[in-house]
Amino acid sequence: MHAIRITLLIQMIDGRYEKEKLLGQGAFSEVWKVKDTQTGVTLALKIYNPTNGIDEDGNEMLTHEFALMVNANHKNLLRPLFFATWENRPYLILPYCEQGNIGKMVGKMTEDEAWKLLRDCASALNYLHAMNPPILHQDIKPANILLSDTGDYMLTDFGVSTQAKQSLSRVSNQEKELLSAGTISYMAPERFSRNNLPIMANDIYSLGSTAYEMLSGDLPFGNDGGLLQKKGADVPELPGNFSPLLKRTLEKCLEAEPWARPTARHLEEIAEEAVKNPASRNVIPESFNATTPDEVRQSQLDAAQAHQARPTVMGPQVESLIRGTVMGPAAEAPLNGTVMGPASGTNVANRYNSANPYNSANPYQSGNPYTSNSVQPQGSSKKWIWIVLALIAVVGIGAGAYLMLFNSETKEAEVAVAPAEQQKQQEQMEQAEYGLAMALFNNKDSVETALNRMTELANKGNKDALFEVTRTYAFVPLDTESANRKKALGWELDENNCPKSESTKREAIIWLQKAVAEEVPNFHKCQYWLALCYLNGLGTDQEIEKSNSLLIQARSEAIKCNDDETKEKIEKTLHAISEKQSKQ
């Protein structure tokens, strides 16, 4: 569990921006309402890793990604005006929206407003998804949708890739699992899979879930989000007196199959028509019943790959960001309270109207190779007819026998494949459960639930879960995560963050022994922790001997894994034992 971060106490940021109010706080960032002391303008300032700062590699990565964000010119995107780094802390300057995010509208939004929300956000997503490389938001929720002074809905917090978030998480000593309970609530079912490749359809699902919550006051699948769909739950119908089209639109956005959801372009078109012509809300478009073309699926996968491997952005745009200069006319926008110019690049060619690859010439319409001009002797025609009929009969019998054999083999193959498919589905389900449990560990109020879920998975043979259960129980010095979990569970700890309860210590040893025996990932750490548990006991000769043996094995494994940090800890412990024994 993350340690509670102390909010940045310094009143002036970068010698220019005076803090007035904390607007929001995330896993590795804070958003402040600030006053620019040079111009007197009120702005929003988002600062990353305010406590620990960031390393050079992380700063370079964010510089390139923020360059992409600055280039995103659309009226429904709250793009940054300026980027700089202050004392190893990257920060963004953004227009300040007095009305804030739409979280205050949960359960209060009218149908008219819901259609505007869908239209504005789908338009922004259509623009982002069509960029080169495409930008996938991956975290759409009420907190990331702002309401401008002109009544437009604006997406914020876009453009920071998973890799950049992982870099920020690493530097800020956060757990690699970046999910929070609030984010999980809006996540699509495919994001809980082992191969969690980001695709455009993820954003459509999150937008649909957000709109559902705005209208009904509740999330469609509660705090578990798409994980419940992965377990087989159906999409609930939007309650209330809303139009058939709105209910059907949200149902399509929340489809479990990602390729069955509308694209951002399609959703924008539907919502735009519903805003302009309320009568259209009583008609379900035929496109909602059509099968999604294979090229849509492929285009989204291509976009996902491009999103995962964004190219380095070079040129004056990045250079001006690095120098800390304001990006030309964009600087005037916050002064006038306007949005940064008209949307650009929205007329994207329709990629789905490509030629049908199956409309080639029919290979079966060529001339019949068996037709010839030769004439058979008339007297032998009946003979040839009987020969042909006999051949047909033989071929028919052979084909029938082959089909019977083929069907039999196919059924046997299906029986053989079924258990493998079931095993694969079971593994995916367990991985989703593991991801959810890891996210629950991040909230001090849900650590007990997380431990119970991990324990269930560990008892089913999941080695990753077994490691986390072990980490929770074990005597793990200098591990803030382990210590915070124990404190959240209400366990009384000694000065070494080891549970004082003898029963808890015994349970820790049982889990550690099991983890070592089953060779879980990083089991050399479990060997080290188990040795520490023995040493933290009565310190008998037998316990010291077991500890020495475990430590020597753990050191050997740590060397194989190139885990120098654990290796050094092990060697220090061995040295301490040796010194203690020499004094006796």
Side-chain angles (χ1 to χ4, degrees), residues 345-364:
T346 52
N347 296 326
V348 182
N350 186 346
R351 71 188 67 170
Y352 310 130
N353 291 334
S354 57
N356 188 340
Y358 302 110
N359 286 341
S360 56
N362 189 341
Y364 306 115

Side-chain angles (χ1 to χ4, degrees), residues 422-438:
Q422 290 174 359
Q423 177 67 23
K424 182 179 178 182
Q425 291 176 357
Q426 181 65 28
E427 288 176 358
Q428 290 176 344
M429 191 75 70
E430 286 185 8
Q431 192 65 20
E433 286 280 2
Y434 172 79
L436 178 59
M438 283 300 297

Side-chain angles (χ1 to χ4, degrees), residues 197-223:
L197 185 67
I199 54 176
M200 298 172 187
N202 302 156
D203 288 341
I204 300 300
Y205 184 97
S206 299
L207 177 56
S209 185
T210 298
Y212 188 104
E213 184 185 24
M214 291 296 107
L215 290 161
S216 69
D218 295 308
L219 286 156
F221 296 101
N223 291 332

Side-chain angles (χ1 to χ4, degrees), residues 197-265:
L197 185 67
I199 54 176
M200 298 172 187
N202 302 156
D203 288 341
I204 300 300
Y205 184 97
S206 299
L207 177 56
S209 185
T210 298
Y212 188 104
E213 184 185 24
M214 291 296 107
L215 290 161
S216 69
D218 295 308
L219 286 156
F221 296 101
N223 291 332
D224 287 342
L227 180 61
L228 286 183
Q229 270 179 295
K230 199 166 181 64
K231 295 179 178 180
D234 294 327
V235 177
E237 182 181 352
L238 177 67
N241 187 25
F242 298 108
S243 69
L245 179 60
L246 182 57
K247 291 186 175 185
R248 180 61 174 155
T249 299
L250 295 189
E251 182 183 343
K252 291 295 292 182
C253 289
L254 295 171
E255 286 271 12
E257 170 59 55
W259 319 114
R261 298 170 206 151
T263 62
R265 179 180 58 82

Side-chain angles (χ1 to χ4, degrees), residues 388-426:
V388 170
L389 289 174
L391 285 171
I392 291 173
V394 171
V395 170
I397 294 171
Y402 172 77
L403 288 173
M404 289 177 64
L405 179 62
F406 177 78
N407 287 337
S408 174
E409 290 177 350
T410 302
K411 288 180 180 178
E412 289 179 5
E414 287 175 354
V415 171
V417 168
E421 185 62 29
Q422 290 174 359
Q423 177 67 23
K424 182 179 178 182
Q425 291 176 357
Q426 181 65 28

Side-chain angles (χ1 to χ4, degrees), residues 330-342:
E332 301 172 4
L335 301 176
N336 300 327
T338 58
V339 188
M340 278 67 77

Side-chain angles (χ1 to χ4, degrees), residues 8 17 33 68 98 105 112 121 126 136 163 187 228 319 363 374 376 416 442 496 498 521 532 553 575:
L8 195 65
Y17 303 102
K33 176 184 177 182
L68 294 174
E98 184 69 39
M105 301 173 68
D112 288 343
C121 293
N126 183 30
L136 312 185
Q163 294 94 323
M187 281 173 54
L228 286 183
E319 292 174 5
S374 61
Q376 298 292 339
N442 294 335
N496 295 315
C498 184
L532 293 177
Q553 294 176 47
H575 181 69

